[in-house]
Amino acid sequence: MTTVSEALRIAVGLHQGGRLAEAADIYRKIVQAAPGVADAWHLLGVLNHQSGQSGEAVRLIGEAIRRDPLCAAYHDNLGSALRALGKAAEAGGRHRAALALDPGWIKPFGNLAGALTDLGDGPAAAAALRRALRLSPDSDSHLLRLGDCLYAQDRIAEAEEAYRRLDMLHPGRSDCLYRLGLCRLAASRLMASTLATAGQLVDRAAMAEAVDAFARAATGHAASSGDAERNLFGTAIVALQTGVMEDGMLARVAEAGRRRLMAEPRDGGAPSAVLSSALSVVCYHLYRKGRLDLARRYFRKYARHWPAQAIAADFEMLLWSMVRSEAAFFDRLAAEPPGLFAGTGRRIAVPPRADGRPVLLVGCDESYWQRFGAAFLASARTHAPSCAVHVHVVNPSDGTEAALGELARAGEPALSLSFETVELGGLPDPVRLTWFASARFAVTQQLLRQGPGQGGGPVIQVDVDALLLADPGAALAGWGDWDVAVMQDRRGRGPTRDFLAGFLAFNRTPAAQRYLDLVVAYIGRHFAEGRAYWGLDQAAPFCTHDYMVRAGCAPALVRFDFQAFPFLHFLEK
């Protein structure tokens, strides 16, 4: 005949082997035959908790404690069942009771930390984990949990110390490397930076360490390797956008991106965020190397397999979809310039004076003109006396047209006007804003085609939400034999952020005209095909110039560094 001890031993073996139903049946028979055996009540309760029946577990383990109140394991497991029911405060009390009975047992400290975390008491949870580590300094699970607990409280340096201890014990663990990357990323201040502040704020050494940790973690097989990949490519993109990505680091991340793309089947499904960001990084690297043509080909190699809606939902993919570099595209633009954009109903209401003066051209919608127009005109009058001003407004009201007409008749500064009426109501906001920003290129084209005897001198496109600091017209004489002048962001932020549309000057030369014609056609093609998006007004000038350089017909370019631009102050919006 089997004794109670033997039956309990058999049940425990079944329990540990995962044969829960058979183990539960024996536990129940024991508590029925020998209800005084506290272990049977306890283990049946643990089995119920493991099976998701935490309410029944609380009742059963409570029966065990009623029979033996001095067993620390009973109190600790009761705490775990209570926590599963959302009763974190009661759970914490039970874990403390377990520690009072057995202060040298490490497990209740970790469980207490979990209950305290649920209660929102991060400092107390960290203290409980530190006490566990005093008992077992090399406990990898408690080191990882301590780091996570501290990181969640923004105690980044302390979290990093815990992760580094774990990394010393188990070098190369993906989950630890990923977390070290997060700590170094936080220390770099990259994610707290803006384009204006990143140059001074970002700790580039810490950022490089973060990228290296993510790259090493991404090669592992743990669940965190996917998160590491996302952070590896995502960090690179943010660094590119904020102008702090160095060429060597970009090359290393791009190589990881190539490996990731090559490992993924091109099956026509929507890309993951990892794939699209990996593709962006590879394309940015090729752009930095002066191979925009290869970047375009590489983008098409993968993106042509992805659904259009997936491209439209990814900002970086949208930007790269507007980058064109192939000769066939530009040959088509020259042979068949699209009519949608260039041929809209624009009208010159007040033409520029035929006095050869440089023309400052601003173009916007009515709301932008009302917000910024008066301040711009005042700054032009004060700081750019050699220039005339041309204002182009999309969809103006009668009142705005009349008010601008009054200013033009007043004659100071010399003011010319044009307007257009176009139906944009059905377009998403980014596309409408792109039209407003791009319309000035077609107006410049129209003004230059009037010829020097009918209009002004060179046309200088500037943003209306800017103030003149110096007179670009007075500086023209120092530009030599120039065709086009650009304001360039020399931080290599990508083909949609290289030539900045806030300042573009066009001389009255055949080379400038050929360049501008292609730029306007480039913009028009994207609108005609429904592929226009924010950034098109900067992609078109840069990509067109890149193509013309490779074709040997580029205009003579004058470049100004955006970060030391002498003529304009761009307002915060």
Side-chain angles (χ1 to χ4, degrees):
M1 182 175 180
T2 304
T3 65
V4 169
S5 296
E6 290 171 339
L8 190 60
R9 187 165 54 252
I10 292 169
V12 169
L14 292 168
H15 191 167
Q16 291 174 338
R19 297 163 65 177
L20 301 186
E22 297 171 70
D25 184 58
I26 297 174
Y27 288 144
R28 289 190 191 96
K29 289 177 179 178
I30 293 173
V31 299
Q32 289 169 1
V37 179
D39 269 351
W41 291 97
H42 168 241
L43 292 169
L44 182 58
V46 169
L47 188 149
N48 273 266
H49 174 54
Q50 292 169 338
S51 302
Q53 305 297 318
S54 296
E56 178 64 4
V58 168
R59 184 188 73 80
L60 292 167
I61 300 174
E63 290 291 335
I65 291 174
R66 192 165 63 82
R67 288 163 173 77
D68 182 0
L70 300 181
C71 178
Y74 297 174
H75 289 277
D76 189 52
N77 286 327
L78 177 57
S80 296
L82 287 166
R83 185 184 172 202
L85 295 172
K87 299 179 179 180
E90 293 179 55
R94 288 297 176 173
H95 296 312
R96 287 189 179 95
L99 289 168
L101 290 167
D102 190 352
W105 189 24
I106 187 174
K107 181 172 174 282
F109 283 112
N111 290 332
L112 175 59
L116 291 168
T117 298
D118 291 350
L119 293 169
D121 193 348
L129 290 166
R130 290 190 192 280
R131 290 182 64 188
L133 287 165
R134 282 200 291 271
L135 293 170
S136 180
D138 294 344
S139 170
D140 53 353
S141 63
H142 288 89
L143 279 169
L144 196 67
R145 289 184 61 192
L146 176 60
D148 291 350
C149 180
L150 294 166
Y151 184 87
Q153 300 172 57
D154 286 330
R155 296 161 66 179
I156 305 301
E158 295 174 78
E160 184 175 345
E161 181 183 358
Y163 296 139
R164 290 203 180 280
R165 283 174 58 190
L166 178 56
D167 188 53
M168 290 178 65
L169 291 168
H170 303 283
R173 272 184 53 160
S174 291
D175 53 353
C176 183
L177 288 170
Y178 168 62
R179 288 164 168 81
L180 280 171
L182 292 177
C183 290
R184 298 317 294 154
L185 181 60
S188 76
R189 300 184 294 276
L190 173 66
M191 305 308 292
S193 301
T194 65
L195 179 60
T197 63
Q200 293 74 40
L201 189 63
V202 172
D203 182 335
R204 299 190 188 210
M207 183 180 73
E209 291 166 354
V211 166
D212 179 65
F214 291 142
R216 292 170 60 203
T219 63
H221 301 289
S224 56
S225 61
D227 293 329
E229 280 189 324
R230 279 188 287 276
N231 278 272
L232 172 63
F233 302 127
T235 298
I237 289 173
V238 174
L240 279 156
Q241 291 171 345
T242 50
V244 292
M245 172 58 79
E246 297 173 354
D247 288 345
M249 185 189 305
L250 178 57
R252 293 191 295 274
V253 181
E255 183 55 36
R258 287 189 185 90
R259 290 195 299 269
R260 184 64 178 85
L261 289 162
M262 291 173 65
E264 192 75 15
R266 296 194 287 273
D267 56 7
S272 66
V274 168
L275 284 182
S276 61
S277 57
L279 179 56
S280 290
V281 170
V282 174
C283 291
Y284 279 119
H285 178 236
L286 292 168
Y287 144 80
R288 282 270 189 100
K289 293 176 67 177
R291 294 306 307 268
L292 194 64
D293 54 332
L294 288 182
R296 167 67 184 175
R297 284 160 54 190
Y298 205 89
F299 173 78
R300 286 293 302 151
K301 177 180 178 180
Y302 291 92
R304 63 190 176 91
H305 297 283
W306 297 340
Q309 60 269 30
I311 300 293
D314 187 301
F315 179 69
E316 285 291 328
M317 291 293 94
L318 267 177
L319 294 182
W320 280 102
S321 73
M322 296 187 296
V323 173
R324 305 299 294 268
S325 62
E326 61 274 31
F329 173 77
F330 287 95
D331 290 344
R332 184 183 171 203
L333 292 184
E336 305 171 21
L340 172 67
F341 181 71
T344 191
R346 298 187 183 90
R347 53 192 170 87
I348 302 291
V350 178
R353 298 176 185 176
D355 56 8
R357 295 172 66 179
V359 177
L360 291 172
L361 186 153
V362 294
C364 58
D365 67 331
E366 182 174 69
S367 66
Y368 243 52
W369 177 255
Q370 291 174 347
R371 286 174 63 189
F372 301 108
F376 174 81
L377 287 178
S379 73
R381 185 181 301 114
T382 302
H383 296 291
S386 78
C387 296
V389 175
H390 184 94
V391 175
H392 179 77
V393 182
V394 181
N395 293 335
S397 65
D398 291 343
T400 294
E401 282 201 40
L404 281 167
E406 287 294 325
L407 286 174
R409 284 188 287 275
E412 284 298 331
L415 182 64
S416 54
L417 304 172
S418 60
F419 306 108
E420 70 179 278
T421 302
V422 58
E423 177 52 54
L424 301 173
L427 298 177
D429 281 347
V431 182
R432 288 191 306 105
L433 293 172
T434 300
W435 187 284
F436 299 149
S438 301
R440 54 189 164 179
F441 287 93
V443 177
T444 297
Q445 184 185 49
Q446 194 170 355
L447 294 180
L448 290 181
R449 282 178 174 169
Q450 289 182 333
Q454 298 172 290
V459 178
I460 305 170
Q461 294 180 187
V462 296
D463 281 348
V464 70
D465 52 344
L467 301 176
L468 272 298
L469 300 174
D471 190 343
L476 292 177
W479 295 0
D481 294 328
W482 69 284
D483 297 309
V484 178
V486 300
M487 178 174 63
Q488 186 173 24
D489 191 331
R490 293 175 176 168
R491 291 170 289 185
R493 297 173 55 233
T496 61
R497 308 179 188 96
D498 198 303
F499 286 8
L500 303 181
F503 175 92
L504 266 169
F506 298 88
N507 204 357
R508 288 182 176 273
T509 63
Q513 185 70 68
R514 286 193 298 270
Y515 170 69
L516 180 59
D517 288 347
L518 279 178
V519 170
V520 172
Y522 189 116
I523 294 170
R525 180 71 65 198
H526 281 76
F527 274 109
E529 295 177 354
R531 295 185 293 106
Y533 200 74
W534 189 248
L536 177 61
D537 60 325
Q538 296 185 158
F542 179 81
C543 296
T544 300
H545 180 262
D546 177 83
Y547 160 73
M548 295 181 81
V549 168
R550 285 183 284 109
C553 58
L557 209 64
V558 176
R559 302 172 190 260
F560 291 96
D561 186 351
F562 166 67
Q563 293 182 283
F565 192 65
F567 301 118
L568 291 169
H569 168 66
F570 296 94
L571 303 177
E572 295 284 344
K573 299 184 288 296

